[in-house]
Amino acid sequence: MMSSNEDYITLDEINNALELLDKDEIASKKRLETFTNQWPTVIKEIDFVTKKFSSLTSIKENLSQIQSRIHDSSKLAEDISSKVRQLDKIRGRVSECQKRVQDLLDLQLCSEGVQIAMKNDELEQAAGHIHRYLSIDQTKLQRTADDMAQDCSMITSALKHLQEALELLQDTVSKRFEHASSIQDTNSIERYFKIFPLLGMHDLGLEKFVDYLGRLLKVSADKNLKNVIDTPMSSNRASVIFADGLTYIFEEVAKTIEVHQPLIETHYGPEYVLKFLSHLQMHCDTFGDILLRTFLNTRKIKELLKTMWDEPDVNTAGRPDSKDIDLLVEEIVMILARYDLYSQFVCKRTVNADGVEPKTRTAKAVLDNSRLCCCIQEMMGKYLELERYYMEESIRKAVLMDTIEGDGGDAALTSSMVDDVFFIVRKCVMRSLRSGSLDVLCAVINNAVNALETELCAVFAQVLSAGYPGSGYFNRFTPDLDKVRRTFLAALNSTEVAVEYSKSLSQAFRDEVPARLRGCHAEKLDSCLHDFSRVNASLVAANRNGFRQLQCSLVEPKTLAWMEPFYEQNFTLDEPEFAQTVADNPFVVALVRSIDGTLAEFRARLTPNNYDMLVVAVAAETAAQLERAVMKTEFNRLGGMALDKVVRTLINYFSAASAWPVREKFARLVQVTTVLNLERASDLNEFSNPDSGMRFSWKLTPDSIRQILRLRADFREEDIRKVQL
């Protein structure tokens, strides 16, 4: 806002205000000129808009007409909808009235028809009339009777006759079914069984029918049990006769289900199939329980389980033979396999054409809650104990009967028990697979892992911990020295072979079990098979311990003896001596001959992998012992060059003797020879100069390098001190 004149006190302020006013005036004139120039365009736009307003008036009139028509159409639609709803109510009432009329007509026909059919003993027709009567809504009939209060005697009479006929027919059919079942009149039994659902007696008819079938099955089961008990021990099937007997029971029950299931689905409905199976399973439980109890008593399972883990003494019988347990375990596994097959059959019979799953789960629940399932679970527990005993006892026998294979031939020494033990483990695990239970399979695998750890691994660990008898003075008094050595080497090789067997066996289980076991849980199986890694770790630890014992009792003493001639060598050489030493060094020739002779003893006795490990161990020990000898010897430059020739000869020999790299074992010794080969002590500075291109990673400490430099008789102490490390 412009200030008042009193705000401008000085002349300069007044002039500044005047200049601002002039600028505002100029800007206002420019805006006015621009607006004046645009005025014709504004006039044209105003005329255009004015013309458009005239057309908008007609559009408004059209929209008003459309709105009016829509309103009229909406009102007409509401009227029509109201009339349609009224028509729907009327139609519903008419339909209900027609149904009432039809029900009354049917009621009258049923009342008359059932009396005629009963007089003529036509039970099927009478039951059909009763079924129609029962399908009529009784509440609506009573409402109709109330609505027709002036003439309801007909309805009341019909209802009374039908109710009396229902009770009479129910009693008649029940008695005739009982009579037919007592004389086993199959045609009459089926006839009356079909009538029960027409009279609303689904549960009673099903119960009576299953009782009849149960009596038939009992006759077969009793005869089957007698045949099982009377089977002589000389029979070919004597060892599995109880499994055959249980199989017969399952087959009879399955045959009964297969024959009568269509009859029940047709006349009772699919929803009654599960009830039929549930009632029939009770009879199967009884027959199966009797047979399995007889099996336990006849085979004396309880006594066997008691004596299996007891230590035998003079007053008690010896422990059961594993061969007898093997036959018993086979029969139990066959029983478990037959039950698994039977349970699969029952679950499949309850699946309808659409494959509905809830019914399958219900059928499985019926089986899981049955007495037979409890007996089978008890049998699984006994099987696991027997299988464990058979496995451990067989492994102990394999250990006791162990022989050394490959002795005297070109093959490596191994223990025969490795093949025997892993054959037994595979046999037991694959046998448990036939039970159809993943829990049983995992339990047997756990037992197998424990048996391998406590029996096989422990034996190898004990043999290898005893050590390898060398050629010392006191070892000469060891009885059968060569046998002890062969046993040690066989155990050393067997640990490596056993690791490979263990890995391949666990992988074979991982591949085969999911393909052969229904509903296999892969994660649970993998978790169980992972325990084989414990066996592998124990075997590898035993193998490593064996090599430590071999190194302590054989490699180290021999290597120490091989190095004795080194101390007699002179390494302050002149030119003729150096030439002669390079051409023929008796120490190197004798050392290589001794090493090769020692390794030759093990080349055929050890596996290729173990032999390579031995070569590497000898190389490492040779390098260490030679380094110790070097640190006690005096050199000149030619002597250092002669030592370098010795080291390279050893490296070439060991590299050719083993498929494994051994050069790393001589890394320190090579650096020792490098220091001893220096022309001057100051040349060592080149190795620490980054620009020389000769820098490398030292295995030796600075103190060790100075100590090696002092081995050179021609190096002065003051030159050694000047070396920068």
Side-chain angles (χ1 to χ4, degrees):
M1 185 178 72
M2 187 72 68
S3 302
S4 61
N5 293 334
E6 288 77 6
D7 295 335
Y8 302 106
I9 302 175
T10 63
L11 181 62
D12 293 336
E13 290 177 351
I14 294 173
N15 290 331
N16 291 336
L18 181 61
E19 289 179 0
L20 291 174
L21 289 173
D22 290 340
K23 291 180 180 178
D24 289 341
E25 182 181 1
I26 294 171
S28 299
K29 285 181 179 181
K30 288 182 179 180
R31 289 196 298 272
L32 184 59
E33 289 178 358
T34 303
F35 179 74
T36 304
N37 293 332
Q38 294 178 349
W39 180 251
T41 304
V42 174
I43 294 299
K44 289 180 181 180
E45 292 179 355
I46 291 174
D47 292 340
F48 177 75
V49 172
T50 303
K51 291 178 182 179
K52 291 294 183 182
F53 273 121
S54 59
S55 62
L56 290 175
T57 303
S58 61
I59 293 174
K60 181 179 180 182
E61 293 175 356
N62 293 335
L63 290 176
S64 299
Q65 293 176 2
I66 293 172
Q67 182 180 7
S68 177
R69 291 179 182 179
I70 292 174
H71 183 267
D72 294 341
S73 299
S74 175
K75 186 175 181 181
L76 180 61
E78 290 180 358
D79 294 340
I80 294 173
S81 177
S82 177
K83 291 179 180 180
V84 169
R85 285 196 295 271
Q86 292 178 359
L87 289 175
D88 287 340
K89 289 182 180 180
I90 295 171
R91 186 181 65 176
R93 291 174 182 174
V94 170
S95 297
E96 184 179 357
C97 182
Q98 289 177 341
K99 192 171 186 315
R100 286 193 185 187
V101 172
Q102 186 64 42
D103 289 344
L104 291 174
L105 293 175
D106 290 345
L107 186 66
Q108 184 63 29
L109 291 175
C110 289
S111 178
E112 296 174 357
V114 74
Q115 295 180 30
I116 296 172
M118 291 292 288
K119 289 179 181 179
N120 297 331
D121 198 29
E122 296 175 348
L123 299 183
E124 288 83 356
Q125 293 186 10
H129 290 302
I130 294 296
H131 181 68
R132 175 69 184 101
Y133 155 67
L134 294 175
S135 65
I136 299 174
D137 191 346
Q138 302 296 319
T139 305
K140 291 183 178 180
L141 282 178
Q142 188 61 41
R143 190 185 306 166
T144 302
D146 294 339
D147 294 341
M148 300 174 60
Q150 70 279 8
D151 189 19
C152 64
S153 59
M154 182 272 292
I155 299 176
T156 304
S157 176
L159 289 174
K160 180 180 179 182
H161 290 158
L162 287 171
Q163 188 63 33
E164 291 175 353
L166 172 61
E167 294 175 358
L168 177 61
L169 196 57
Q170 286 178 340
D171 184 63
T172 301
V173 172
S174 296
K175 290 181 179 179
R176 292 192 181 185
F177 183 89
E178 291 290 344
H179 177 70
S181 62
S182 64
I183 62 175
Q184 296 188 4
D185 185 354
T186 306
N187 294 331
S188 298
I189 290 173
E190 184 174 339
R191 175 193 175 192
Y192 298 129
F193 177 65
K194 295 177 181 178
I195 295 176
F196 278 114
L198 299 177
L199 303 177
M201 303 169 68
H202 297 76
D203 292 333
L204 181 62
L206 201 62
E207 182 179 349
K208 287 181 176 294
F209 186 63
V210 173
D211 288 342
Y212 160 71
L213 295 176
R215 289 194 295 272
L216 296 181
L217 290 174
K218 186 177 185 304
V219 174
S220 300
D222 291 343
K223 183 179 179 181
N224 171 63
L225 180 61
K226 186 177 184 303
N227 292 335
V228 169
I229 296 175
D230 294 342
T231 300
M233 295 303 296
S234 59
S235 174
N236 293 333
R237 303 294 296 178
S239 61
V240 292
I241 191 63
F242 284 95
D244 291 345
L246 189 64
T247 303
Y248 177 80
I249 293 176
F250 289 153
E251 288 176 348
E252 289 297 309
V253 175
K255 190 186 302 180
T256 302
I257 295 173
E258 192 170 15
V259 170
H260 297 97
Q261 182 178 355
L263 183 67
I264 295 171
E265 289 180 341
T266 302
H267 297 280
Y268 283 73
E271 63 274 12
Y272 280 90
V273 173
L274 187 61
K275 290 185 178 181
F276 169 68
L277 294 175
S278 179
H279 290 310
L280 194 62
Q281 183 60 39
M282 295 180 184
H283 296 281
C284 183
D285 290 346
T286 302
F287 309 144
D289 180 70
I290 294 174
L291 185 69
L292 292 178
R293 297 300 172 191
T294 307
F295 166 75
L296 294 176
N297 294 330
T298 304
R299 301 301 192 202
K300 299 181 180 179
I301 303 296
K302 186 176 181 180
E303 290 78 3
L304 280 176
L305 294 176
K306 183 179 180 181
T307 59
M308 279 193 316
W309 309 110
D310 293 341
E311 292 295 334
D313 53 38
V314 294
N315 298 324
T316 60
R319 300 173 69 179
D321 188 1
S322 58
K323 292 182 180 179
D324 298 333
I325 299 297
D326 187 27
L327 295 175
L328 185 58
V329 167
E330 282 289 344
E331 187 171 21
I332 296 178
V333 168
M334 190 177 295
I335 290 174
L336 300 179
R338 295 296 185 269
Y339 173 76
D340 181 64
L341 188 63
Y342 168 73
S343 64
Q344 293 181 46
F345 169 81
V346 172
C347 291
K348 286 181 180 179
R349 299 306 294 187
T350 56
V351 178
N352 58 20
D354 298 329
V356 178
E357 287 297 326
K359 288 192 175 183
T360 302
R361 288 196 293 270
T362 305
K364 187 177 186 305
V366 170
L367 289 173
D368 291 343
N369 295 325
S370 64
R371 280 191 299 151
L372 180 60
C373 183
C374 294
C375 293
I376 292 297
Q377 293 295 326
E378 180 182 352
M379 197 68 65
M380 285 181 179
K382 291 177 171 53
Y383 159 73
L384 290 176
E385 289 191 60
L386 292 168
E387 187 72 275
R388 176 190 166 198
Y389 175 81
Y390 168 76
M391 186 189 304
E392 294 182 359
E393 195 68 14
S394 299
I395 290 177
R396 291 193 188 99
K397 285 186 177 181
V399 172
L400 293 175
M401 298 170 62
D402 180 41
T403 58
I404 298 177
E405 298 178 345
D407 194 13
D410 296 334
L413 299 177
T414 55
S415 296
S416 63
M417 65 177 171
V418 176
D419 289 337
D420 297 338
V421 166
F422 280 95
F423 172 79
I424 294 167
V425 170
R426 177 177 174 80
K427 174 184 176 181
C428 294
V429 173
M430 297 308 293
R431 177 162 55 191
S432 68
L433 181 60
R434 287 155 45 198
S435 69
S437 172
L438 180 60
D439 293 333
V440 171
L441 174 68
C442 290
V444 173
I445 291 176
N446 290 335
N447 290 339
V449 170
N450 293 333
L452 289 174
E453 284 185 311
T454 57
E455 302 295 338
L456 185 69
C457 298
V459 170
F460 288 148
Q462 181 179 2
V463 172
L464 295 176
S465 296
Y468 180 85
S471 57
Y473 174 79
F474 293 102
N475 286 324
R476 292 184 302 170
F477 302 102
T478 302
D480 205 351
L481 182 62
D482 187 59
K483 181 180 179 181
V484 175
R485 290 175 177 175
R486 287 187 287 109
T487 302
F488 179 90
L489 297 179
L492 192 65
N493 291 333
S494 296
T495 54
E496 182 190 355
V497 175
V499 169
E500 296 300 323
Y501 281 8
S502 176
K503 291 180 179 178
S504 62
L505 191 62
S506 61
Q507 186 60 44
F509 293 153
R510 191 172 282 106
D511 296 336
E512 295 180 28
V513 170
R516 299 178 55 180
L517 184 62
R518 177 178 52 91
C520 178
H521 196 282
E523 293 182 359
K524 184 175 182 179
L525 178 63
D526 288 340
S527 176
C528 186
L529 293 176
H530 183 69
D531 291 341
F532 273 98
S533 60
R534 301 204 320 259
V535 178
N536 300 338
S538 299
L539 292 170
V540 171
N543 183 272
R544 296 288 184 269
N545 182 48
F547 267 101
R548 284 194 296 271
Q549 297 294 336
L550 188 63
Q551 185 164 356
C552 292
S553 59
L554 177 73
V555 177
E556 291 180 2
K558 283 185 172 293
T559 307
L560 191 61
W562 296 337
M563 290 301 149
E564 290 296 332
F566 182 85
Y567 295 101
E568 301 174 2
Q569 293 282 100
N570 177 25
F571 285 92
T572 54
L573 306 175
D574 54 19
E575 289 291 344
E577 291 175 336
F578 172 73
Q580 183 179 359
T581 301
V582 170
D584 181 20
N585 191 332
F587 168 73
V588 177
V589 173
L591 178 60
V592 171
R593 185 183 298 112
S594 299
I595 294 173
D596 190 64
T598 300
L599 294 178
E601 297 178 10
F602 298 92
R603 190 175 293 117
R605 291 187 167 191
L606 293 178
T607 61
N609 190 59
N610 281 340
Y611 176 73
D612 288 336
M613 290 181 65
L614 177 62
V615 172
V616 173
V618 173
E621 187 63 27
T622 301
Q625 293 287 357
L626 184 58
E627 182 181 345
R628 294 191 188 99
V630 167
M631 300 302 291
K632 299 177 182 179
T633 307
E634 189 177 63
F635 295 85
N636 61 6
R637 188 163 187 267
L638 292 178
M641 294 172 64
L643 178 63
D644 181 72
K645 176 67 174 178
V646 172
V647 172
R648 294 185 184 279
T649 301
L650 292 175
I651 292 175
N652 292 336
Y653 170 77
F654 283 114
S655 298
S658 172
W660 290 12
V662 296
R663 188 174 296 274
E664 181 65 23
K665 304 299 179 181
F666 288 87
R668 284 178 55 90
L669 198 55
V670 169
Q671 292 182 4
V672 170
T673 60
T674 300
V675 174
L676 292 176
N677 275 322
L678 296 176
E679 185 175 354
R680 296 180 299 274
S682 60
D683 291 344
L684 193 60
N685 295 327
E686 296 293 329
F687 290 96
S688 58
N689 185 5
D691 298 329
S692 64
M694 301 175 58
R695 190 171 185 177
F696 61 94
S697 177
W698 285 98
K699 301 284 185 181
L700 304 172
T701 63
D703 293 338
S704 298
I705 295 175
R706 286 192 171 88
Q707 185 179 357
I708 295 169
L709 288 173
R710 292 187 179 96
L711 298 178
R712 285 284 296 270
D714 50 342
F715 285 172
R716 296 183 301 174
E717 182 66 25
E718 59 184 36
D719 293 335
I720 295 175
R721 291 176 181 175
K722 292 179 182 180
V723 174
Q724 297 179 359
L725 298 174

